[in-house]
């Protein structure tokens, strides 16, 4: 799928499920943005010696929190409520794959975390595109179009740093393995009113 290189597109009919429970998708989306900000801070905490990475991921974390606020504002404006944080089975499966895949070195740990992050951003970007092109709600169609462009930038940031700091690791080969793994699990998703569900 173009620059994202995802192997399996989301069925546009997923949007029909989403439209039946807008409150649920907005709550789930808000928490996705919060977790993305937390993830960026975690990478900074564990790799603070890389000044350029710290600078760019600080900017990314701020943007994710801004997105969280934007989604929350839509929730409030519509008279809805931000529900409790949702479990994200898709992200948990990617996380387990990341944990199994590193060789224990700091370099491997950083590369795996960056590819894990890139994978989530790539799929989120693709889902936002599907939403923007298929949802009947005009406000949300415009909103998701704007977010899609931002998520694509985040994906690029993570991939770029994996290549930059992946000394001794064939990052392209690892990314192809990540894409193949994601293809093997994504068939189980796209059936719920959540961003990855």
């Amino acid at each position: 799928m173009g620059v994202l290189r995802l192997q399996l597109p989301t069925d546009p009919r997923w949007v029909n499920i989403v439209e039946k429970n807008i409150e649920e998708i907005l709550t789930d989306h808000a928490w996705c943005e919060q977790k993305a900000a937390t993830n960026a801070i975690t990478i900074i905490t564990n790799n603070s010696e890389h000044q350029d990475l710290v600078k760019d991921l600080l900017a990314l974390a701020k943007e994710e929190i801004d997105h969280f606020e934007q989604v929350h504002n839509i929730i409030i404006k519509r008279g809805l409520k931000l529900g409790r944080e949702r479990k994200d089975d898709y992200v948990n499966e990617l996380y387990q794959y990341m944990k199994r895949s590193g060789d224990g070195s700091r370099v491997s740990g950083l590369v795996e975390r960056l590819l894990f992050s890139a994978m989530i951003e790539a799929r989120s970007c693709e889902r936002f595109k599907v939403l923007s092109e298929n949802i009947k709600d005009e406000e949300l169609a415009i909103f998701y179009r704007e977010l899609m462009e931002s998520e694509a930038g985040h994906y690029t940031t993570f991939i770029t740093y994996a290549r930059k700091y992946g000394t001794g690791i064939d990052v392209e080969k690892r990314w192809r393995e990540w894409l193949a793994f994601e293809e093997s699990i994504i068939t189980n998703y796209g059936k719920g009113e959540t961003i990855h569900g």
Side-chain angles (χ1 to χ4, degrees), residues 21-28 75 79-83 86:
N21 196 343
I22 294 294
E23 186 168 20
E24 181 63 26
I25 189 82
L26 290 174
T27 284
D28 181 71
I75 289 168
L80 306 173
K81 283 198 169 64
L82 175 66
R86 303 301 195 250

Side-chain angles (χ1 to χ4, degrees), residues 19 47-48 65 68 74 84 102 106 111 116 142 146 154-155:
E19 287 177 318
N47 302 278
S48 56
I65 285 296
F68 179 92
I74 290 172
R84 302 287 296 172
R106 289 199 75 225
V111 168
F116 160 78
I142 293 165
E146 289 168 357
H154 296 172
Y155 155 80

Side-chain angles (χ1 to χ4, degrees), residues 155-172:
Y155 155 80
T156 303
T157 297
F158 288 124
I159 287 282
T160 300
Y161 279 113
R163 289 175 180 142
K164 179 170 185 177
Y165 289 117
T167 309
I169 295 171
D170 186 340
V171 174
E172 291 310 310

Side-chain angles (χ1 to χ4, degrees), residues 36-62 106-115 117-118 153-167:
T38 302
N39 179 59
I41 296 295
T42 299
I43 295 172
I44 290 168
T45 303
N46 294 332
N47 302 278
S48 56
E49 69 274 20
H50 301 306
Q51 199 168 36
D52 53 350
L53 180 139
V54 170
K55 184 171 175 288
D56 285 346
L57 290 195
L58 273 172
L60 189 149
K62 286 178 187 173
R106 289 199 75 225
V107 172
S108 172
L110 173 57
V111 168
E112 289 304 313
R113 189 75 185 216
L114 290 168
L115 295 182
S117 305
H154 296 172
Y155 155 80
T156 303
T157 297
F158 288 124
I159 287 282
T160 300
Y161 279 113
R163 289 175 180 142
K164 179 170 185 177
Y165 289 117
T167 309

Side-chain angles (χ1 to χ4, degrees), residues 5 115 159 162-163 169-179:
R5 291 166 60 189
L115 295 182
I159 287 282
R163 289 175 180 142
I169 295 171
D170 186 340
V171 174
E172 291 310 310
K173 179 172 178 282
R174 273 304 293 143
W175 182 236
R176 286 194 300 274
E177 290 166 359
W178 268 95
L179 288 165

Side-chain angles (χ1 to χ4, degrees), residues 22-23 25-27 29-30 67-82 137 139-144 146-147:
I22 294 294
E23 186 168 20
I25 189 82
L26 290 174
T27 284
H29 178 194
H67 293 168
F68 179 92
E69 184 179 24
Q70 286 179 50
V71 181
H72 189 235
N73 287 342
I74 290 172
I75 289 168
I76 292 167
K77 182 177 152 191
R78 292 175 176 229
L80 306 173
K81 283 198 169 64
L82 175 66
D137 186 310
E139 180 190 27
L140 291 181
I142 293 165
F143 178 62
Y144 281 112
E146 289 168 357
L147 284 195

